[in-house]
Amino acid sequence: MFRDDFVWGVASSAYQVEGRDADDGAGKCIWDTFQEEGHVYENHSAKVSCDHMHRYKEDFALMKMLGVKAYRFSISWSRLIPDGTGAVNPKAVALYRDMLLEMKKNGIEPYLTMYHWEFPQALQDRGGWLNEESIEWFGYYAKVVAENFTDLCDKIFTINEPQCFVGLGHLSGVHAPGLKLPAKDVFQIAHNVLRAHGQAVINLRKYAKGEIKVGYAPTCGVAYPASNKPEDIEAARKAYFGFYNPITNWTWNVAWFSDPVLLGKYPEEGLKKYAEYLPEITEEDMELIHQPIDFLGQNIYNGYLVRAGKDGEPEFVDRLSGHAKTATDWPVTPECLYWAAKFLDERYHMPLFITENGMSCHDNVSEDGMVHDPNRIEFLDEYIGQLQKAADEGADVRGYFLWTFLDNYEWSEGYSERFGLVYVDFRTQKRIVKDSAYWYKEIMESNGAKLSINQPSKQILFLDPVFTHNIWGGTRLREDFGYAIEGDDIGECWGVAAHENGDCTIKDGRFAGEKLSEVWENHREVFGNVDIDRFPLLIKIIDAKADLSIQVHPDDTYAAEHENGSFGKMECWYILDCPENASLVIGHNAKNKQELEEMIHDGKWIEFIREIPVKKGDFIQIDPGTVHAIKGGLVILETQQNSDITYRVYDYDRLSNGKPRQLHVKQSIDVITVPAKSVDDSVVDASATPVNELYELISCKYYKVFKLKVEGQASFTQSYPFLIMSVLEGTGIINHQVVKKGDHFILPANYGEVSIEGDLEIIASTIS
């Protein structure tokens, strides 16, 4: 869970929400010029935007109603100081002071950002950030901010996303001021920006009217590992702070814009790679940049996948076809918040705020007059959940600011993107609270407790099976069930297993890539919090091309004493297919223990073994101590205790690698039940069970087993600690998920109503 003083808020910028007024006294900024030159989507203008400068009182009142306790906003440099330096606009001072007072009135803690790209056009005409006087200009701006607002606001970020406005504004030209400068000039601009940050920190502290806290808010996509292998994690870390972009896109870099501020030096790798482009960098420059700050902000929206190549260098992994995207076509990668928090904490040891995170959706007003945005809720739930995971593991995460509160002017995209919790009709300025705002209110009020990561998962756990190769195995697991496994000796499919000899992997969803044993260990709530020290059941499909050995299993007491604490092994079989006149070995013919020992020691196997006829659809219960063997030609589904303890009584004198396979005669004699259970008590005809009903085949000490034959539609309530399901025939849909023959999955605890349609045959099981 998040720390008790975790800061929950929303974020915005002045230019994107404020609008303008003919008498506001504000100066022109570079974005005004950029729009006038026709570089914004459909020539959209920010002259009105959300009209926040006139509606902030009602907007802050709405924030209060929606539970917002912190607001990261920016002051417009060109509004406050119209020419960038010199005379201060008293109307701007009055506006921002009243905004701050109104925030306080509504219980909202202000986090002020000095520069969110509203660069005065008057200073751009004098060379902008390329002019080294920009350091002095920004320092003066910081002085004005400190003198006028620090009695009302004590938390200030200097600069927002230098990677964006340096690169997009001066290298690629897609943002204001729309320049495409040589790389050498862009490096000079970046250096000037960082020095300006340092000068701002000095002046903010020097002229503040009380104690303040100062931060810095860069951005960047996040490199995250393709797996949890140490080499992939290291590759992702190296890529995140490394220099792999071409010079034409060099500004998208974490270390270049953060190391000087937080570590007092530019990264050596970058100094070497970019040596020909760099300006003179003096010790005095680094001292100026490396001013002490109190927290690091980070704006994070998505990431990119990295793995270790053969040479140990990062290898960038293509996104999967059909990957999730936002309305801006940005990839949805919630893992990025986890890995960013981890990597940034390790490198900089600085309190971290996520200063922007959110998504653009294709929001529309529905017929009911509301705006339903489930995609945004899902996005935020996954991202914030990953941030909590990092915090739970020790990352010093102090707060989260969602981008953004109101739909607003999205820079060069104009009004084509909607990131807000509140829908804005830009023609009428009507506000409509979206579903996501109410969801976020609950998250803030519960300090994250209402996040899905803190709730029992109700996702179906689909599993990737584990396969075994056996001398008696065949090819039907591939041919009949479509499993992609090679060989002509495929004996077993461990469809649901969390055993050391076979541990299934979760295919997708919250636990994607985790082993079933890991989910059992770390998320016991998924399985009803049952008090058992290991996952209790194991489900197999067995293809016996040849006869299996004559076997017997111990009970729990014997196994615990003689098999290092293992479970014993009770199991049952459902016959999926078999030849005509098929039989199984079930039980034996010895009348007492002495006769049992004599038959085994003397090799009187024909007299000893009891074979019984079986057919497709028969169900057989195999208690511990029961002699048994599957005969060649049978395919069965086996439900058993989670144990791999088997004592081999006899193996038809077969050889493996030129040697007889090991027998376990003493142990077998120890555990075989004498006399054997009767034939009538061993086999049940389950071929004609009721349709569309979860029909119980057995309830014993360790498990319950059901058969479900679906023709059309069926439904039931899943109220067990968990319910394992294996699809034996057909295809269908279960609660919107398509399933087919060969699928194995688990319905978690408290899953509730289950709806199935199609033509299916399923064997299900749970614990007793």
Side-chain angles (χ1 to χ4, degrees):
M1 292 295 292
F2 292 105
R3 50 192 293 153
D4 292 340
D5 60 352
F6 191 80
V7 176
W8 294 96
V10 293
S12 76
S13 83
Y15 193 77
Q16 292 179 268
V17 298
E18 284 180 357
R20 292 290 299 272
D21 187 296
D23 299 319
D24 62 12
K28 191 174 186 179
C29 82
I30 56 174
W31 276 95
D32 295 322
T33 304
F34 193 69
Q35 183 270 329
E36 291 168 2
E37 293 173 347
H39 301 304
V40 174
Y41 175 79
E42 294 187 349
N43 210 30
H44 291 173
S45 165
K47 288 180 180 178
V48 177
S49 187
C50 305
D51 197 29
H52 183 65
M53 67 175 293
H54 297 117
R55 300 172 185 266
Y56 61 86
K57 290 186 178 182
E58 61 191 72
D59 287 338
F60 294 152
L62 183 57
M63 281 188 192
K64 179 181 180 181
M65 284 189 282
L66 294 173
V68 175
K69 300 294 186 184
Y71 181 39
R72 177 179 172 251
F73 72 109
S74 74
I75 281 180
S76 172
W77 184 355
S78 58
R79 181 186 292 279
L80 184 63
I81 310 171
D83 292 325
T85 60
V88 176
N89 178 9
K91 292 183 179 179
V93 173
L95 173 66
Y96 288 129
R97 285 189 64 83
D98 198 53
M99 281 186 175
L100 288 165
L101 289 168
E102 200 67 24
M103 288 182 220
K104 300 278 189 179
K105 176 181 173 182
N106 286 280
I108 300 167
E109 182 74 12
Y111 284 71
L112 187 155
T113 301
M114 280 182 55
Y115 185 68
H116 201 133
W117 312 355
E118 304 94 346
F119 197 85
Q121 184 61 45
L123 297 182
Q124 185 63 37
D125 293 341
R126 295 167 62 181
W129 286 112
L130 187 56
N131 187 336
E132 292 197 58
E133 291 182 41
S134 59
I135 299 153
E136 181 182 338
W137 301 336
F138 199 66
Y140 173 71
Y141 172 39
K143 175 178 180 291
V144 174
V145 169
E147 290 175 336
N148 286 281
F149 308 119
T150 52
D151 59 328
L152 298 176
C153 179
D154 61 358
K155 299 175 183 68
I156 301 174
F157 290 94
T158 58
I159 290 175
N160 181 80
E161 294 186 341
Q163 290 94 335
C164 282
F165 71 81
V166 172
L168 297 179
H170 301 86
L171 186 61
S172 65
V174 298
H175 275 189
L179 302 177
K180 297 181 180 180
L181 300 176
K184 190 173 183 64
D185 287 348
V186 180
F187 275 99
Q188 181 69 63
I189 287 171
H191 190 52
N192 291 348
V193 166
L194 291 175
R195 287 190 288 171
H197 154 81
Q199 189 61 56
V201 175
I202 292 171
N203 286 7
L204 286 170
R205 297 197 192 280
K206 180 178 180 180
Y207 295 103
K209 295 185 176 181
E211 183 178 343
I212 63 172
K213 293 185 181 297
V214 181
Y216 167 61
T219 187
C220 234
V222 179
Y224 63 95
S227 79
N228 285 325
K229 295 177 181 177
E231 58 268 31
D232 285 346
I233 294 172
E234 181 54 37
R237 183 186 291 109
K238 188 172 183 180
Y240 189 39
F241 297 111
F243 295 82
Y244 294 90
N245 283 331
I247 194 65
T248 53
N249 199 32
W250 76 265
T251 63
W252 293 106
N253 189 278
V254 174
W256 193 261
F257 287 93
S258 291
D259 280 16
V261 172
L262 298 163
L263 304 179
K265 58 184 179 180
Y266 283 107
E268 287 297 324
E269 183 183 356
L271 290 173
K272 292 178 182 177
K273 180 172 182 177
Y274 301 139
E276 64 183 290
Y277 307 109
L278 298 181
E280 180 185 3
I281 301 172
T282 67
E283 290 185 13
E284 291 76 17
D285 290 341
M286 299 316 301
E287 183 179 345
L288 177 60
I289 295 170
H290 185 44
Q291 295 300 309
I293 61 174
D294 301 289
F295 43 76
L296 172 65
Q298 199 77 13
N299 297 357
I300 298 174
Y301 290 91
N302 53 66
Y304 51 95
L305 206 57
V306 176
R307 65 183 170 220
K310 293 180 180 179
D311 57 358
E313 280 294 298
E315 186 174 280
F316 299 92
V317 183
D318 290 340
R319 302 190 195 282
L320 294 176
S321 299
H323 66 273
K325 295 185 289 186
T326 70
T328 53
D329 281 339
W330 295 352
V332 177
T333 56
E335 304 91 338
C336 69
L337 276 195
Y338 170 80
W339 288 105
K342 297 273 283 188
F343 289 157
L344 292 168
D345 187 67
E346 291 169 358
R347 189 175 182 94
Y348 298 125
H349 308 290
M350 177 67 62
L352 176 67
F353 287 84
I354 300 303
T355 35
E356 286 186 27
N357 172 249
M359 77 172 292
S360 172
C361 288
H362 294 297
D363 296 322
N364 289 296
V365 181
S366 298
E367 182 64 27
D368 58 10
M370 295 186 280
V371 178
H372 307 294
D373 55 343
N375 287 357
R376 181 174 286 110
I377 293 172
E378 183 69 22
F379 176 100
L380 295 171
D381 186 56
E382 291 182 357
Y383 272 72
I384 301 172
Q386 288 292 312
L387 184 65
Q388 181 196 298
K389 182 181 174 185
D392 288 344
E393 294 177 11
D396 189 5
V397 184
R398 301 293 180 91
Y400 173 89
F401 292 92
L402 189 154
W403 185 272
T404 177
F405 187 64
L406 302 172
D407 288 339
N408 59 29
Y409 185 80
E410 276 300 326
W411 305 112
S412 60
E413 300 303 319
Y415 299 107
S416 65
E417 305 291 348
R418 292 184 178 273
F419 279 84
L421 294 174
V422 176
Y423 182 93
V424 178
D425 184 328
F426 294 108
R427 296 168 300 168
T428 65
Q429 291 302 317
K430 180 179 179 179
R431 271 74 162 143
I432 301 174
V433 178
K434 302 177 189 178
D435 290 352
S436 58
Y438 293 108
W439 174 87
Y440 190 48
K441 183 176 187 285
E442 288 191 345
I443 298 304
M444 292 186 286
E445 289 175 345
S446 68
N447 198 31
K450 294 290 184 72
L451 292 166
S452 292
I453 196 173
N454 299 317
Q455 308 300 316
S457 173
K458 289 193 174 182
Q459 291 182 349
I460 300 175
L461 302 183
F462 286 91
L463 303 169
D464 274 326
V466 177
F467 298 90
T468 68
H469 294 269
N470 307 81
I471 60 173
W472 43 262
T475 58
R476 295 188 65 178
L477 289 173
R478 179 175 64 248
E479 294 166 356
D480 293 2
F481 289 88
Y483 295 128
I485 181 74
E486 295 301 317
D488 58 3
D489 60 348
I490 313 160
E492 297 179 343
C493 163
W494 291 26
V496 181
H499 191 275
E500 61 181 2
N501 293 336
D503 203 350
C504 293
T505 302
I506 311 300
K507 283 186 177 182
D508 48 29
R510 184 195 295 187
F511 307 114
E514 294 187 41
K515 297 296 186 182
L516 179 57
S517 62
E518 294 175 315
V519 180
W520 171 265
E521 184 67 26
N522 300 321
H523 299 279
R524 195 64 64 87
E525 73 280 357
V526 172
F527 309 96
N529 290 308
V530 295
D531 187 18
I532 305 173
D533 68 351
R534 74 206 81 175
F535 190 77
L537 300 180
L538 198 163
I539 312 301
K540 301 177 181 178
I541 299 178
I542 299 174
D543 172 24
K545 182 172 65 175
D547 293 351
L548 274 67
S549 59
I550 309 299
Q551 305 173 357
V552 67
H553 306 307
D555 61 16
D556 286 351
T557 302
Y558 190 93
E561 180 180 352
H562 298 278
E563 301 293 348
N564 299 315
S566 171
F567 281 158
K569 189 174 176 183
M570 179 179 281
E571 65 186 58
C572 58
W573 299 340
Y574 180 79
I575 299 179
L576 303 177
D577 198 15
C578 63
E580 192 174 353
N581 300 319
S583 65
L584 288 172
V585 173
I586 304 292
H588 60 84
N589 295 312
K591 298 180 180 62
N592 53 53
K593 200 76 170 180
Q594 181 179 349
E595 188 175 10
L596 172 82
E597 293 185 27
E598 288 176 357
M599 286 180 168
I600 291 175
H601 286 306
D602 294 344
K604 298 178 180 179
W605 303 118
I606 295 176
E607 298 174 35
F608 176 68
I609 294 168
R610 185 176 74 189
E611 287 194 30
I612 59 176
V614 291
K615 64 183 182 308
K616 182 177 180 179
D618 278 350
F619 179 81
I620 301 100
Q621 171 64 22
I622 310 291
D623 295 328
T626 300
V627 174
H628 61 279
I630 301 172
K631 303 287 285 182
L634 274 77
V635 180
I636 71 165
L637 180 122
E638 178 175 290
T639 302
Q640 61 166 85
Q641 285 179 272
N642 186 8
S643 169
D644 206 25
I645 301 300
T646 295
Y647 297 145
R648 195 174 293 116
V649 185
Y650 175 57
D651 194 32
Y652 307 102
D653 301 321
R654 288 182 292 200
L655 302 179
S656 177
N657 296 321
K659 298 179 181 179
R661 291 206 294 169
Q662 181 183 4
L663 301 181
H664 311 91
V665 174
K666 179 185 181 305
Q667 297 96 322
S668 299
I669 292 172
D670 283 347
V671 303
I672 291 173
T673 300
V674 183
K677 189 165 65 172
S678 72
V679 173
D680 290 341
D681 292 334
S682 299
V683 182
V684 174
D685 182 358
S687 60
T689 53
V691 173
N692 297 333
E693 177 184 329
L694 194 63
Y695 182 81
E696 185 176 288
L697 297 177
I698 190 171
S699 178
C700 65
K701 180 179 179 181
Y702 298 104
Y703 47 71
K704 296 176 184 287
V705 179
F706 309 87
K707 183 178 177 183
L708 175 61
K709 184 171 179 58
V710 180
E711 293 180 1
Q713 291 186 323
S715 64
F716 63 92
T717 300
Q718 194 322 65
S719 57
Y720 299 103
F722 59 90
L723 188 66
I724 297 170
M725 306 193 85
S726 297
V727 182
L728 308 181
E729 293 289 349
T731 60
I733 302 169
I734 177 167
N735 286 28
H736 302 268
Q737 305 273 351
V738 177
V739 294
K740 64 183 187 307
K741 179 177 181 177
D743 285 347
H744 303 268
F745 52 91
I746 301 174
L747 302 179
N750 302 308
Y751 187 80
E753 191 68 15
V754 181
S755 176
I756 307 178
E757 55 186 304
D759 187 3
L760 295 160
E761 187 172 298
I762 294 172
I763 292 292
S765 57
T766 187
I767 54 175
S768 294

